[in-house]
Amino acid sequence: MDLNSKSVEEKIRQYRVFKSCSQSTLIGLCEVANHPMSQARLCALASGFSGGTGGTFDEGTCGALTGALIALGFLEDDEIKIKMDAKKLYDAFKKEYGSVQCGIISKNGEDKSPCVDCCVYAANEAIKLLKE
């Protein structure tokens, strides 16, 4: 699997204009990895994680993180590695942003300026883990 972080970032920035963080991150990673699931199915799968889980913002996990976690499950076959990598990704994201809660990072959805960077960060961390 050839996951180029620059290509993934370009896809995420392109999709984030009109898709959620969870959708943009998942689609960016899966498309560059040539995962066979259609974009429409990937969007549907990730849609419930938009705006924190179910749009809860203040309580929900950041969609960028959940999109990257879903991608780990699609792009890695070893369930033990997936679980370990999910913890590493979660920890790295929390260290970088101080929280995994969408509402804390985006001020309850009022400031979406960090969103694209969160998507790119989560995707890049996922790429590092997938290449290990």
Side-chain angles (χ1 to χ4, degrees):
M1 167 180 17
D2 182 30
L3 272 171
N4 177 295
S5 59
K6 183 173 178 173
S7 298
V8 172
E9 180 176 350
E10 288 172 1
K11 290 277 186 187
I12 288 171
R13 290 189 183 282
Q14 173 189 355
Y15 290 129
R16 189 58 191 98
V17 172
F18 56 94
K19 296 192 181 307
S20 72
C21 292
S22 55
Q23 292 169 328
S24 300
T25 306
L26 177 61
I27 294 168
L29 283 162
C30 288
E31 279 190 3
V32 173
N34 292 314
H35 188 276
M37 188 175 283
S38 73
Q39 185 182 114
R41 290 303 309 145
L42 291 169
C43 274
L45 181 67
S47 65
F49 299 99
S50 178
T53 306
T56 56
F57 290 106
D58 63 331
E59 298 173 2
T61 302
C62 172
L65 178 58
T66 56
L69 291 170
I70 295 167
L72 286 177
F74 278 132
L75 302 176
E76 174 61 54
D77 294 326
D78 182 342
E79 289 185 31
I80 293 169
K81 185 175 182 329
I82 294 166
K83 188 172 182 177
M84 290 184 336
D85 286 352
K87 175 71 170 126
K88 290 176 186 176
L89 177 57
Y90 178 95
D91 289 345
F93 191 92
K94 187 173 183 176
K95 183 178 179 184
E96 180 72 14
Y97 290 98
S99 177
V100 298
Q101 289 181 316
C102 175
I104 291 173
I105 297 166
S106 70
K107 298 180 178 121
N108 282 333
E110 293 175 22
D111 178 12
K112 295 184 181 169
S113 62
C115 293
V116 174
D117 290 336
C118 287
C119 295
V120 172
Y121 179 82
N124 283 331
E125 289 300 306
I127 290 168
K128 287 179 200 172
L129 294 165
L130 289 163
K131 289 183 175 183
E132 288 182 350

